[in-house]
Amino acid sequence: MNNQSPASILERQSRAFLRDGPPDLTQRRATLKRLAHAVKANADDLAEAVRADFGHRSRHETLMAEIFPVIAAVRHARFHLWRWMRPRLVWPGLELAPSRGRIVQQPLGVVGVVSPWNYPVQLALAPLVAALAAGNRVMIKPSELTPRTAEALADMLGGLFPEEDVAVVQGGPEVGAAFCRLPFDHLLFTGSTPVGRKVLAATAENLTPTTLELGGKSPCVIAPAADLAEAAASIAAGKLMNAGQTCIAPDYVLLPAGSSQQFVQHFVGAVTKLYPTLLDNADYTSVINGQHYARLAQLIEEAKQGGAKIVAIDPANENPPPQSRKLPPTLIVDPGENLAVMREEIFGPVLPVVGYETFEAALDFVNARPRPLALYYFGPEDQNLQKLLARTHSGGVTVNETLSHFIAENLPFGGIGPSGMGAYHGEAGFRAFSHAKPVLLQSRLNSRILLHPPYGKVTEAILRFLLRG
Ligand code: NAD
């Protein structure tokens, strides 16, 4: 899309931002509309690019999890933007009477976006929607692991926006590292926790405000009173979307000790219904590349060697060859806590199942690990749920379902601690990319004169008032 260095694109975008000033409501709504139209018009091409990058990616999943959230984000932003942009009038307080105050939402300038490969369209475009809604210019660095999608995005956005509004910079980790060292007015990074650490170190150099959307091990906690069949069906559907390559995919299951066998039966039944075959099944997505396939195979092998029970679900006994990268959904029952599968984010169709003796022990298990991006609870909305919500931390929670909180535009989406910092989606995205600027308007007649030297009795009296209890 461009032959210019990222630094010079940033400079041009910054200059254009200062030259043109913030776009008004009508301009922003029009920009978002054009973007949504283009995404819709290019949906099949984008889905094909993602499919080619993955080896196989279900077209329906691409439409549901990549195209729909972007269109929905635009629809939501276009509807609510007038309210988000409206300055909020505030009373500065008696002490400053008769001044007036307002909080003005101001675009930051140029926003950098670094996106990963697992949902390469959505995770590049949803931050773009939020940044444009807030009136910014944007530079996007997509993942090198999905090069066709990156190219398709660059083509689409290049045809839609001049480079001084929106630009796509392509390249791998070195380009990503250099990108994050640029003095953006805000940077949003979506990717792994280890790379997130490097990104924050890089943005610290310029004190660039940074949103980190990271990963982690998102637990599913099944309460003793839960319907195990329903929980298994929901976890299977959420886990196997995109073959488990989802930042908020259920990473492991905690269930009452003694119910593992029953859960396994329900889970196998649910998978068989969802995916009666794997190899040529258009609905079942491949693992992104050979390296990740080998990583997942190694996780399973290590667990097997460690004595865990392995349940590979291959409903039609196809035994998909590694080169298909269609890894059968695999349960790992009672894995040792030291196994890699219980320490690292799995990011594939592999699901450990761990028994707990008491619900408190399940909460302790979650709290003994880094704070996850998502947490799922299955069971009645009772005391246990209240305890779980009050005593565990996670980026977000969905109750009696998986993944759903992600697509609710009215809910902020983000992690906490090692699973991320900051949030976006809907109004949270608008606020992430705006500066809430306080403005105080003083009247000509005000109390300032009474607080100036030479201090005297009047000042003393005012101070007594200011320092009252
Ligand atoms: P990754 O961290 O390897 O790469 C993400 C992006 O960072 C890529 O564009 C890459 O080129 C770039 N990059 C690599 N090294 C860099 C560096 N030193 N400095 C700056 N940029 C660099 O992640 P991935 O493998 O593409 O994605 C999977 C991870 O992303 C998982 O951990 C997953 O949980 C997480 N994720 C999080 C969310 C979320 O919304 N929180 C969404 C999707 C994925």
Side-chain angles (χ1 to χ4, degrees), residues 269-293:
V271 173
T272 308
K273 255 198 209 154
L274 293 168
Y275 306 101
T277 64
L278 301 176
L279 195 51
D280 295 320
N281 187 340
D283 298 341
Y284 194 60
T285 293
S286 301
V287 171
I288 183 76
N289 59 27
Q291 216 178 332
H292 276 281
Y293 186 94

Side-chain angles (χ1 to χ4, degrees), residues 76 80 83-84 409-410 424-433:
H76 185 82
H80 291 284
R83 191 170 54 77
W84 300 343
E409 282 291 314
N410 276 325
Y424 73 122
H425 286 194
E427 186 170 358
F430 174 86
R431 303 228 174 271
F433 297 129

Side-chain angles (χ1 to χ4, degrees), residues 306-372:
K309 182 179 165 198
I310 310 293
V311 183
I313 310 168
D314 181 8
N317 291 316
E318 295 163 292
N319 207 4
Q323 56 276 23
S324 71
R325 301 201 304 276
K326 294 246 179 149
L327 186 66
T330 303
L331 293 171
I332 299 186
V333 185
D334 294 331
E337 286 188 24
N338 290 327
L339 292 174
V341 80
M342 286 311 294
R343 286 186 284 104
E344 295 165 12
E345 180 181 10
I346 295 173
F347 225 55
V350 178
L351 185 70
V353 177
V354 179
Y356 64 76
E357 293 300 332
T358 62
F359 195 74
E360 277 66 25
L363 302 190
D364 291 345
F365 193 95
V366 172
N367 285 332
R369 286 162 178 74
R371 293 176 169 181

Side-chain angles (χ1 to χ4, degrees), residues 19-164:
R19 183 194 64 215
D20 297 346
D24 64 17
L25 174 63
T26 312
Q27 288 169 310
R28 294 189 204 187
R29 293 186 78 236
T31 301
L32 291 173
K33 192 175 184 175
R34 279 198 304 132
L35 176 60
H37 277 168
V39 171
K40 231 164 140 177
N42 284 280
D44 283 334
D45 289 350
L46 290 167
E48 176 48 30
V50 178
R51 192 207 59 71
D53 280 332
F54 270 73
H56 181 70
R57 154 71 89 76
S58 151
R59 178 175 163 274
H60 289 95
E61 284 184 356
T62 300
L63 295 181
M64 274 188 298
E66 308 249 30
I67 305 298
F68 160 69
V70 176
I71 306 276
V74 168
R75 201 162 41 222
H76 185 82
R78 290 188 75 242
F79 186 76
H80 291 284
L81 199 48
W82 68 273
R83 191 170 54 77
W84 300 343
M85 285 174 71
R86 198 173 44 176
R88 190 156 68 85
L89 301 182
V90 291
W91 186 53
L94 189 58
E95 291 82 353
L96 289 164
S99 67
R100 290 152 295 138
R102 64 173 75 129
I103 300 170
V104 179
Q105 299 296 335
Q106 187 175 31
L108 299 170
V110 183
V111 171
V113 173
V114 179
S115 55
W117 55 263
N118 63 325
Y119 290 96
V121 176
Q122 200 268 125
L123 294 169
L125 296 186
L128 174 67
V129 170
L132 291 176
N136 298 282
R137 318 259 159 163
V138 184
M139 290 172 62
I140 303 173
K141 207 300 276 171
S143 171
E144 70 285 3
L145 296 190
T146 40
R148 292 177 188 83
T149 312
E151 199 56 45
L153 285 172
D155 282 350
M156 182 186 79
L157 295 173
L160 207 57
F161 297 106
E163 203 174 71
E164 59 182 37

